[in-house]
Amino acid sequence: MACFLVPAAEAIVVTAAYVAAKKHEQKIEAPKLADGETFATDDVKITWSRRLSWLLGLLWGGVILLAFEHFWHGEVVPFPPFLTAMSSPDDAAEMFHEMATVGVSMAICVTAVWGAICAAAEVKVKAIKASLKKNAA
């Protein structure tokens, strides 16, 4: 019914963190680029804003697909109260239970998959750094 609202709330928080990380990284990199510094191979890394953008893609993609699916099945409507489960207290209790179980588990699962993606990317970056050092020597 409304399980997609939990990942949507996480996506909103992650979006704010992404914007903050992006601004912070731009403050750090702008002076380097203005001075014409070149980046060494040791500086090769995946930034936090890049990693958070992967999580944002996973979260917002899932939220949009789930919202469409719930709309398709008539559980979300384009008029108030927007969620058909909000029409009665019994249905609302069931909806909150679903949000607490299914919604939270979906958010945790997506975040765990993102963590695995980040770990795999970090392993790949370390392999590339080692290869660059080996070729430079």
Side-chain angles (χ1 to χ4, degrees):
M1 287 177 225
C3 56
F4 66 94
L5 294 178
V6 176
E10 181 183 1
I12 291 168
V13 171
V14 172
T15 300
Y18 167 78
V19 169
K22 190 73 171 172
K23 284 184 181 180
H24 178 71
E25 290 166 3
Q26 286 174 347
K27 281 183 183 178
I28 292 172
E29 295 300 323
K32 289 181 182 177
L33 294 174
D35 293 340
E37 287 186 30
T38 58
F39 298 104
T41 57
D42 293 340
D43 291 345
V44 175
K45 62 182 177 180
I46 301 173
T47 62
W48 270 105
S49 64
R50 172 69 55 102
R51 293 173 193 222
L52 289 174
S53 72
W54 298 340
L55 181 57
L56 284 175
L58 292 171
L59 288 170
W60 282 120
V63 166
I64 290 167
L65 286 172
L66 280 170
F68 177 75
E69 186 270 335
H70 286 312
F71 180 75
W72 186 266
H73 289 277
E75 296 168 347
V76 175
V77 292
F79 48 85
F82 303 111
L83 300 169
T84 56
M86 294 296 288
S87 59
S88 75
D90 292 335
D91 289 341
E94 182 182 341
M95 178 190 70
F96 289 129
H97 182 280
E98 180 184 339
M99 288 171 65
T101 56
V102 177
V104 169
S105 63
M106 283 190 315
I108 290 171
C109 184
V110 168
T111 306
V113 167
W114 170 73
I117 291 169
C118 288
E122 191 62 34
V123 168
K124 186 70 174 175
V125 166
K126 285 182 181 180
I128 290 170
K129 282 183 183 180
S131 174
L132 288 173
K133 281 186 179 181
K134 182 179 175 183
N135 290 340

